């Protein structure tokens, strides 16, 4: 049942991207998007990713709300940095260790971090669980601490949502 739900989700997501790329919500675009999505998932299937545990709704809602807040806040900060008088902000690459266990959740953390304006994950060290992030405005200790705080909050909510110790089993472990 879970595999069918995941396949339906994948086809729906791909079809939605197709329609958004065309820019018009029409019946032919939606139908073509569904056909293309099914073709993609059948001809080029992704390898199975072991998913264990369960999703906790309250932390998920908090994560989405926090992400939306950071999206708005970071956009405003980036806008201000681009129009303020003076030299451009100092940029840098920061090493951010995380305690996320699952590779899938690690990729989610990297994706969320990259989607927050002003930062981009350049590399994921899968073995040591480190994200290397390019960050705009590392010119003060306060801005660097703010970035680390943002990543720590996102990490904590991802762990609370997807990999609580009582729910999480490593891949290959018997349930």
């Amino acid at each position: 049942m879970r595999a069918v739900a995941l396949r339906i989700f994948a086809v729906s997501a791909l079809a939605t991207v197709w329609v958004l790329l065309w820019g018009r919500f029409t019946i032919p675009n939606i139908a073509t998007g569904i056909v293309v999505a099914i073709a993609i998932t059948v001809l080029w299937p992704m390898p199975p990713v072991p998913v264990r545990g369960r999703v906790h709704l309250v932390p998920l809602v908090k994560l989405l709300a926090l992400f939306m807040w950071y999206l708005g806040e970071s956009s405003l900060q980036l806008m201000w940095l681009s129009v303020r008088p003076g030299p451009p902000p100092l940029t840098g690459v920061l090493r951010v260790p995380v305690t996320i266990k699952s590779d899938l959740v690690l990729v989610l953390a990297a994706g969320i971090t990259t989607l927050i304006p002003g930062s981009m994950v350049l590399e994921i060290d899968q073995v040591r669980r480190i994200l290397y992030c390019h960050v705009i405005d590392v010119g003060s200790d306060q801005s660097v601490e703010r970035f680390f705080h943002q990543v720590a909050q996102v990490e904590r909510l991802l762990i609370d949502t997807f990999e609580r110790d009582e729910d999480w089993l490593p891949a290959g472990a018997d349930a």
Side-chain angles (χ1 to χ4, degrees), residues 124-166:
I124 301 172
D125 185 336
Q126 182 182 8
V127 175
R128 294 185 298 177
R129 298 302 205 218
I130 296 173
L131 302 176
Y132 292 92
C133 304
H134 179 268
V135 180
I136 294 176
D137 190 23
V138 295
S140 71
D141 289 341
Q142 179 186 7
S143 59
V144 171
E145 286 302 317
R146 182 175 56 241
F147 174 74
F148 280 118
H149 178 71
Q150 284 180 339
V151 174
Q153 279 190 304
V154 168
E155 175 189 8
R156 180 80 256 144
L157 285 171
L158 281 168
I159 290 170
D160 288 348
T161 302
F162 297 110
E163 49 179 46
R164 290 183 180 177
D165 286 335
E166 63 267 16

Side-chain angles (χ1 to χ4, degrees), residues 20-126:
L20 290 174
L21 287 172
W22 280 99
R24 296 186 61 186
F25 289 96
T26 63
I27 299 297
N29 271 350
I30 294 169
T32 306
I34 292 171
V35 169
V36 169
I38 290 171
I40 287 172
T41 58
V42 168
L43 296 176
W44 298 289
M46 296 294 292
V49 175
V51 177
R52 301 209 183 256
R54 47 182 251 223
V55 176
H56 298 273
L57 259 0
V58 173
L60 178 62
V61 170
K62 288 180 183 178
L63 176 66
L64 293 173
L66 182 72
F67 172 69
M68 296 306 290
W69 172 259
Y70 282 156
L71 196 61
E73 180 186 47
S74 296
S75 295
L76 291 174
Q77 289 170 352
L78 200 58
M79 179 191 66
W80 170 245
L81 289 172
S82 66
V83 298
R84 73 182 168 107
L90 182 64
T91 65
V93 176
L94 301 177
R95 191 176 122 204
V96 184
V98 293
T99 59
I100 294 171
K101 300 170 193 164
S102 163
D103 289 342
L104 182 61
V105 178
L106 183 63
V107 169
L108 283 173
I112 290 171
T113 303
T114 297
L115 289 173
I116 295 172
S119 63
M120 180 182 353
V121 174
L122 301 174
E123 183 179 347
I124 301 172
D125 185 336
Q126 182 182 8

